[in-house]
Amino acid sequence: EPAPLREARAWVHGAGTLAVLTGAGMSAESGIATFRDAQTGLWAKFDPAQLASPEGFRTNPSLVWDWYAERRKGVQRALPNAGHVALAQYEKTHLGRVTIVTQNVDDLHQRAGSTDVIRLHGDILQDVWLDTGRCRPCDMSRAVPGSPPRCAACGNLVRPGVVWFGEMLPAEALSRAELLAQSCDAMLVIGTSGAVYPAAGLAHTARRAGAKVIILNPEPSEIDDEAHLLLRGTAARILPALLQTE
Ligand code: NAD
Ligand code: APR
């Protein structure tokens, strides 16, 4: 067994509180495209600012809606991979000591059985109203089907419940994630390029607060300097070995 894996296992199992920060790479082996992987990444085909931003949606709501509808179908077809399952099992045998902070908008951690999951960038399976400030809340069940659906009464549009470029992250989720990064004994960072803040900053926060930082990624990431230990491999292959308890 490679030394880094043995050392990482000692840190993970020795941690009273384990924080797990996941990105798109966590779900790559479930068949969901990441953003920045050169060939397969979503950004190789689309301009993110055009599709994943409030301006993009305002300019062309049906194009953005259809793009998300496509990705939503991909998420619904996907299955949790061995990495998601290993994390969920580990949480079960270490109740109250494992919290996942995810940048992903799929529900694969939850479907694998993880219960303590902080979602920084929303949920692609959720619909929300574009204009939440309306005088009276529109009734989602009465939205007129379309691309995108709209409120029959006031014309308000339905949008995907994800965080877009330049949008604020949900405050409660972000503050929980910050507190976790400041208090955890170890942070396991899986499948993120570390390209996007504030999520990527959580590894720096954990390291500065004295946590052991382990980064699991087949490729170098922009936050590798924060790692005490780098595991060069994929989530579905490394996590079962790293988290096995016997
Ligand atoms: P998105 O492109 O809108 O990402 C929103 C996030 O991008 C914001 O938090 C923002 O801080 C960040 N951002 C800002 N500037 C950026 C830049 N220049 N380059 C890259 N990111 C920038 O994401 P989306 O397409 O609306 O999808 C929503 C979610 O999909 C994202 O939160 C991302 O985590 C995610 N995702 C999930 C999966 C999965 O669920 N497995 C796979 C790929 C991506
Ligand atoms: N196992 C582990 N890591 C993997 C795997 C795998 N099987 N396959 C790819 N990776 C790694 C890649 O090396 C890359 O570092 O996953 C990372 C994917 O990076 P991104 O595509 O940038 O995804 P992410 O880091 O989640 O993006 C952050 O930016 O576009 C926005 O909001 C979006 O939440 C996303 C945020």
Side-chain angles (χ1 to χ4, degrees), residues 23-29 31-45 71 104 191:
M26 180 75 228
S27 301
E29 285 152 293
I32 297 180
T34 65
F35 281 81
R36 295 171 189 81
D37 279 339
Q39 285 66 36
T40 56
L42 286 168
W43 297 155
K45 302 188 259 315
R71 287 178 58 203
N104 292 339

Side-chain angles (χ1 to χ4, degrees), residues 5-244:
L5 190 60
R6 206 174 34 251
E7 202 171 359
R9 209 218 306 285
W11 285 350
V12 164
H13 291 256
T17 304
L18 175 69
V20 184
L21 173 63
T22 65
M26 180 75 228
S27 301
E29 285 152 293
S30 298
I32 297 180
T34 65
F35 281 81
R36 295 171 189 81
D37 279 339
Q39 285 66 36
T40 56
L42 286 168
W43 297 155
K45 302 188 259 315
F46 302 101
D47 167 10
Q50 200 223 336
L51 282 171
S53 68
E55 304 71 44
F57 187 74
R58 234 191 319 279
T59 316
N60 195 333
S62 60
L63 172 72
V64 174
W65 179 263
D66 291 350
W67 187 60
Y68 277 94
E70 211 39 54
R71 287 178 58 203
R72 182 183 298 213
K73 279 194 221 110
V75 167
Q76 285 159 332
R77 271 195 310 269
L79 292 175
N81 62 54
H84 294 106
V85 172
L87 282 170
Q89 301 296 9
Y90 193 76
E91 180 195 338
K92 280 189 181 49
T93 52
H94 298 75
L95 278 185
R97 293 173 44 192
V98 185
T99 301
I100 295 174
V101 187
T102 190
Q103 300 171 80
N104 292 339
V105 294
D106 64 46
D107 59 344
L108 295 181
H109 283 305
Q110 292 82 354
R111 276 162 54 195
S114 289
T115 58
D116 194 355
V117 181
I118 301 171
R119 311 182 79 142
L120 291 180
H121 290 168
D123 175 358
I124 201 166
L125 303 180
Q126 281 291 316
D127 286 340
V128 296
W129 290 110
L130 178 67
D131 176 355
T132 49
R134 293 268 164 168
C135 42
R136 51 176 162 54
C138 309
D139 176 354
M140 189 64 81
S141 65
R142 291 188 42 234
V144 174
S147 168
R150 65 180 54 238
C151 170
C154 70
N156 196 356
L157 294 180
V158 176
R159 60 162 281 181
V162 301
V163 175
W164 276 332
F165 283 101
E167 287 188 320
M168 294 295 287
L169 274 61
E172 199 263 337
L174 185 55
S175 63
R176 266 194 74 204
E178 295 281 359
L179 283 175
L180 178 74
Q182 284 156 12
S183 59
C184 65
D185 301 302
M187 177 177 278
L188 179 54
V189 180
I190 307 164
T192 181
S193 59
V196 162
Y197 285 76
L202 294 170
H204 179 72
T205 303
R207 176 154 185 152
R208 210 186 39 225
K212 291 290 187 201
V213 176
I214 302 159
I215 291 186
L216 194 174
N217 196 320
E219 308 289 332
S221 84
E222 295 184 28
I223 49 174
D224 280 2
D225 291 351
E226 302 301 342
H228 292 98
L229 209 56
L230 286 169
L231 299 177
R232 281 280 172 258
T234 73
R237 279 212 294 274
I238 299 268
L239 286 173
L242 176 65
L243 298 172
Q244 71 189 18

